[in-house]
Amino acid sequence: MNKKYIFTIVSFLFFLFGFFVIILVLNPAYTDSLVRFTSEHKFYGLLFLISWRILGIVVPAIPAGVVSFAVIPFFGWQLTYVYTLIGILLGTSTSFWLARRFREKLVAKFVPLQKIHKLEDSLSHKKRFAAIVALRLFTVPIMDFSSYIAGLTKISFAKFFLATLIASTPDIGIFYFGEEL
């Protein structure tokens, strides 16, 4: 089977899944049912949270961060942070590898490539890790795009993963204060 065909099918399935979940999450008639289901079935709730975070990063149009804060009352801030972090790490890794595999053909749909190549060429090999950490720290709302961008660079996956982990650490405070609200 053609790789482009497989990618199109997988992308369509992600979009379809995301579309139906968005309808469920945003529809007030289903919100109470979803919240009740999550509180009664914690395992499925955590799978939903992790899957939603992955989907929200791989498919940039899906607002996944809101769900993380909605489930703090059920899991507490510590577990919500851990489950969210797992989803973020899996989602950013997926985006990174998609960009590595499909290169400019995929990433060009999201960001201007000329600026990325110019920026990468201006950084020394030692500065690339610090640049990825800074990119991750200051682009948390658009983490999905920055993962695709990082996949086009020459940075190793291990450094990318570590940079993502470091940049996600300050989120602990957000989850802690989110529980206090």
Side-chain angles (χ1 to χ4, degrees), residues 37-38 41-49:
F37 179 81
T38 302
H41 305 284
K42 302 249 187 226
F43 178 75
Y44 295 116
L46 80 90
L47 285 180
F48 171 74
L49 173 60

Side-chain angles (χ1 to χ4, degrees), residues 17-28:
F17 174 74
F19 178 74
F20 285 119
V21 173
I22 286 174
I23 289 173
L24 287 174
V25 171
L26 297 180
N27 188 338

Side-chain angles (χ1 to χ4, degrees), residues 161-173:
F161 191 84
L162 182 60
T164 301
L165 186 61
I166 290 169
S168 297
T169 304
D171 291 349
I172 291 173

